[in-house]
Amino acid sequence: MKIVSAAEAVSFVESGNRVFFQGAAMTPNILIDALVDRHKELKAVEIFHIHTEGSARYTQPPYRDSFCLNSCFAAGNVRDAVNSEYGAYIPIFLSEIHVLFRKNILPLDVAFIQVSPPDKHGFCSLGASVDITLPAIQTAKKVIAQINPQVPRTHGDGIIHVSRITAAVEANAPIFSHAPVAPSEIEKQIGKHVAELIEDGATLQMGIGGIPNVVLNNLMNHKRLGIHTEMFSDGVLPLIEKGIITGEEKEVKTGKIVTCFALGSSALYDFIDDNPVVHFKEAAYTNDTAIIRRNPKVTAINSAIEIDLTGQVCADTIGTYQYSGVGGQMDFIRGASLSEGGKAIIAMPSVTAKGISKIVPNLREGAGVTTTRAHVHYIATEYGVVNLYGKNLKQRAKALISIAHPDHRQELEKEAYYRINKTR
C-alpha cells in the first residue's frame, strides 16, 4: 500500500470519472477536500454517494462547475444541489444500490473510503459504514483510502486488504459523531405508543432520531429483544447493558446485532470497536426482505413526511422537492409484514413544526409514494395508533382522522365525506 499526500492520492481521478464517496460517520473529507481543490483541472466528474457528513464543497460555487452529484439520498448538506441543475437523485431501494455497481449500470472509476490501519494480516476495517461501500470497493477500478487509527475496527464483512488499495493518506481525527438529542414531549408520547406494540422476543429495526430513541427508552421491562437493522445509534446501548437486547430468539445470526452502518456518539463507536456481538454487513444483506422475514416478530419503525387518507406514505419528498431518499423503508416494511408476528410501523408527529397536518386528504402534487397503501400497516402519532391492514378506504380515512391533530380533524372529515359522496 502506497502512502502519499492527499494531493497525490486524488491525482488518480480524471475528468469524466465517476467517483464514489463512503458516507455517514466514515465520510473521507480529507480526500474529498483535496479532490475539490483540483477543480480547475477537472471537468465532468460525477460524484456518487448516499448520506455524507461535511460541507460537500463539490456542490457549491465555483467547484460545482467541475463536479456533478448523482446521489441516492438527499441529506441536508446536498439537498439544494440535488434539487438543482448541479445534482440529481436516483430513486432506488437501499437493498438494490449494489446492483448498479455489480451489473455495470453505474460502473465506478474511483472509490474514496476511510478505514482503520491494517492489522497484522493486512486487512483494514471499513469501520461504521459498510452499507454500499463494500460493493463499491469490490467493483471500483481504483480505491483511495484515508487511513485513520480512530476508525473503529468492526466485525463482519467490512474489510479490505491493503493490496486492493491503490493509494492512501494518513489521518488521525475523530470520525463524525452525533450526540443524542433530548426528545420533545410529542416524540415521547409517540414513543410510548409504539413501545406498547413491541413484544418480548421481537427483532427490531429502527432509524436515528428522537422517536426511535424514545421507543427504546420505553423497553426497559422487555426481554430477549434482537436487532436486525439498516442502522442503529446510541439508544440501543442501555438495553444491551441491561441484558434486554440479547438476540437469542433471532433466526438470522442468533445473538448478533446485525447492521450495515452506525451513526451516533463516541460512546457508540467505542462499543462497536472490536465487538464480535455487532456484525456489519452490506445493505444488500441487511435490507434483503427474504432475510429480514426469517426473524421472528420483526418490528420495523419508520417515519413519514405525510400520509394521505388512503394510507399512501410519502417519506422522501415535499411535493417535487427531494428531501431525503427512498432508503430502506420499503425493505423493512415488507420484511416486517412477512415476518411471523411482525409489525410494520410508521411513526410521526401529527403536524409539522409550523402546525401543518401530516395526515392529508391527498399527497402534495409531485410527491413520491415511498410506501404504498397496500403495504402500510400501523400508523402512530402522539394521539394513538391505528392498524390499516385489512381496512377499506372509508375505514382507513376514519382511522387516520382519529389520530390526526384535533385542529385538523374537522377539515379532514369534510374531505373524506366529499371523497365518499363524490360531490362538493
Side-chain angles (χ1 to χ4, degrees), residues 227 232 240 245 250 255-259 271 277-280:
I227 303 289
F232 74 97
I240 294 168
I245 292 177
K250 289 176 60 190
K256 304 283 188 182
I257 293 173
V258 177
T259 188
F271 170 75
V277 167
V278 187
H279 201 84
F280 279 80

Side-chain angles (χ1 to χ4, degrees), residues 191 193-207 212 215-216 219 222-231 250 292-302 328-329 331-347 377-378 380 385:
H193 291 319
V194 173
E196 291 173 357
L197 297 174
I198 299 173
E199 302 175 41
D200 290 341
T203 300
L204 306 180
Q205 175 261 330
M206 78 297 291
V215 172
L216 294 169
L219 300 179
H222 280 62
K223 301 175 182 177
R224 306 180 306 281
L225 298 177
I227 303 289
H228 182 113
T229 186
E230 160 184 321
M231 67 86 61
K250 289 176 60 190
I292 296 166
R293 67 179 296 184
R294 288 168 52 197
N295 287 311
K297 303 177 185 176
V298 173
T299 305
I301 305 164
N302 290 278
Q329 180 171 121
D331 297 328
F332 277 95
I333 288 288
R334 193 62 179 149
S337 300
L338 296 172
S339 162
E340 185 66 34
K343 295 174 182 175
I345 304 167
I346 300 292
H377 284 202
Y378 291 92
V385 180

Side-chain angles (χ1 to χ4, degrees), residues 128-293:
S129 178
V130 175
D131 41 63
I132 65 168
T133 305
L134 187 60
I137 63 173
Q138 290 173 343
T139 59
K141 297 180 181 70
K142 300 181 181 70
V143 177
I144 311 300
Q146 181 175 311
I147 298 180
N148 184 355
Q150 297 196 46
V151 169
R153 292 194 66 91
T154 54
H155 287 243
D157 295 344
I159 56 174
I160 180 172
H161 194 267
V162 292
S163 61
R164 184 71 183 91
I165 297 175
T166 308
V169 301
E170 293 181 320
N172 192 346
I175 62 175
F176 282 94
S177 62
H178 288 272
V181 177
S184 68
E185 290 304 314
I186 289 175
E187 288 173 330
K188 289 179 182 179
Q189 194 59 48
I190 298 169
K192 289 178 182 177
H193 291 319
V194 173
E196 291 173 357
L197 297 174
I198 299 173
E199 302 175 41
D200 290 341
T203 300
L204 306 180
Q205 175 261 330
M206 78 297 291
I208 195 170
I211 293 174
N213 280 334
V214 172
V215 172
L216 294 169
N217 289 342
N218 281 277
L219 300 179
M220 292 301 177
N221 293 319
H222 280 62
K223 301 175 182 177
R224 306 180 306 281
L225 298 177
I227 303 289
H228 182 113
T229 186
E230 160 184 321
M231 67 86 61
F232 74 97
S233 191
D234 291 69
V236 304
L237 298 182
L239 295 175
I240 294 168
E241 292 169 1
K242 292 182 179 296
I244 294 166
I245 292 177
T246 64
E248 63 190 87
E249 293 194 15
K250 289 176 60 190
E251 291 293 329
V252 178
K253 298 197 178 295
T254 306
K256 304 283 188 182
I257 293 173
V258 177
T259 188
C260 69
F261 77 99
L263 183 61
S265 70
S266 58
L268 179 74
Y269 303 140
D270 289 342
F271 170 75
I272 65 175
D273 183 43
D274 197 26
N275 189 343
V277 167
V278 187
H279 201 84
F280 279 80
K281 303 284 285 186
E282 64 174 296
Y285 180 96
T286 59
N287 289 48
D288 185 333
T289 297
I291 293 173
I292 296 166
R293 67 179 296 184

Side-chain angles (χ1 to χ4, degrees), residues 28-42:
N29 275 310
I30 290 176
L31 293 174
I32 293 171
D33 286 341
L35 178 65
V36 173
D37 288 342
R38 288 186 59 208
H39 71 103
K40 291 182 179 179
E41 58 189 87
L42 293 171

Side-chain angles (χ1 to χ4, degrees), residues 36 66 79 93 193 229 389:
V36 173
S66 301
R79 195 168 288 142
F93 297 133
H193 291 319
T229 186
Y389 189 69

